[in-house]
Amino acid sequence: MNSSQIRHKNFHALFNDYISRHPDQPQRGMLKQFAQQLGLSDRYLSHIKCQRKNIGNSVARAIETALDLPHGWMDREHDRPAPPADERERLFLDTALTLFRAQPDYARELMLDLLRQQLAAPRANLPPTALNDTTTA
């Protein structure tokens, strides 16, 4: 799959996700609302949706910025994640998903902030149990 196809596939996934998060709204006009959220023209998004236009670098980065996605997200394939490796991982994923579904905006910011803090922390600052868990995994 080339980069243009990957970006189109990711755009459709994002748009379908947007639609699924707004089940109470009519289908008609969803592209316009999505375009407003992205800060892009609905006419341009219509061309992208119908694959009459490709998604260039600047539009890909604009989509990532508008949706708080990591830089380069639009350029990578995002297949379904592998099933949990063990019971602890399944418990973590279930708990995180439950929190996210209960309070999506709050949970998203809380989880992203916590994960960013942990990724930015030097390994020396991690608790000893965390170091043991990462070396045995």
Side-chain angles (χ1 to χ4, degrees):
M1 189 177 294
N2 67 36
S3 63
S4 176
Q5 293 168 322
I6 291 170
R7 286 180 178 174
H8 276 284
K9 181 180 172 185
N10 288 336
F11 170 80
H12 284 280
L14 291 170
F15 182 55
N16 290 334
D17 181 58
Y18 181 82
I19 290 171
S20 69
R21 287 185 287 116
H22 298 87
D24 54 324
Q25 298 190 10
Q27 291 287 319
R28 189 178 185 116
M30 290 298 269
L31 187 64
K32 184 174 185 173
Q33 291 176 24
F34 190 53
Q36 289 172 341
Q37 181 179 349
L38 298 178
L40 298 170
S41 155
D42 58 320
R43 185 179 191 142
Y44 183 70
L45 278 194
S46 177
H47 288 296
I48 288 173
K49 185 175 175 244
C50 297
Q51 296 190 2
R52 280 184 256 155
K53 294 232 182 229
N54 287 327
I55 301 171
N57 288 334
S58 61
V59 172
R61 300 300 81 84
I63 291 170
E64 292 164 353
T65 300
L67 298 178
D68 197 27
L69 297 169
H71 181 83
W73 189 94
M74 289 292 293
D75 302 323
R76 294 186 303 270
E77 292 188 62
H78 303 281
D79 295 325
R80 292 183 182 245
D86 58 25
E87 187 60 26
R88 289 176 63 198
E89 187 173 289
R90 187 196 61 73
L91 178 61
F92 170 79
L93 293 172
D94 288 348
T95 304
L97 188 57
T98 300
L99 172 62
F100 187 83
R101 287 181 176 163
Q103 300 175 329
D105 294 332
Y106 170 75
R108 178 181 178 150
E109 293 307 313
L110 178 71
M111 287 189 256
L112 287 174
D113 287 344
L114 180 60
L115 292 171
R116 285 182 188 124
Q117 289 171 13
Q118 291 303 309
L119 289 173
R123 287 184 58 87
N125 292 343
L126 292 175
T129 56
L131 288 174
N132 291 339
D133 287 346
T134 57
T135 56
T136 58

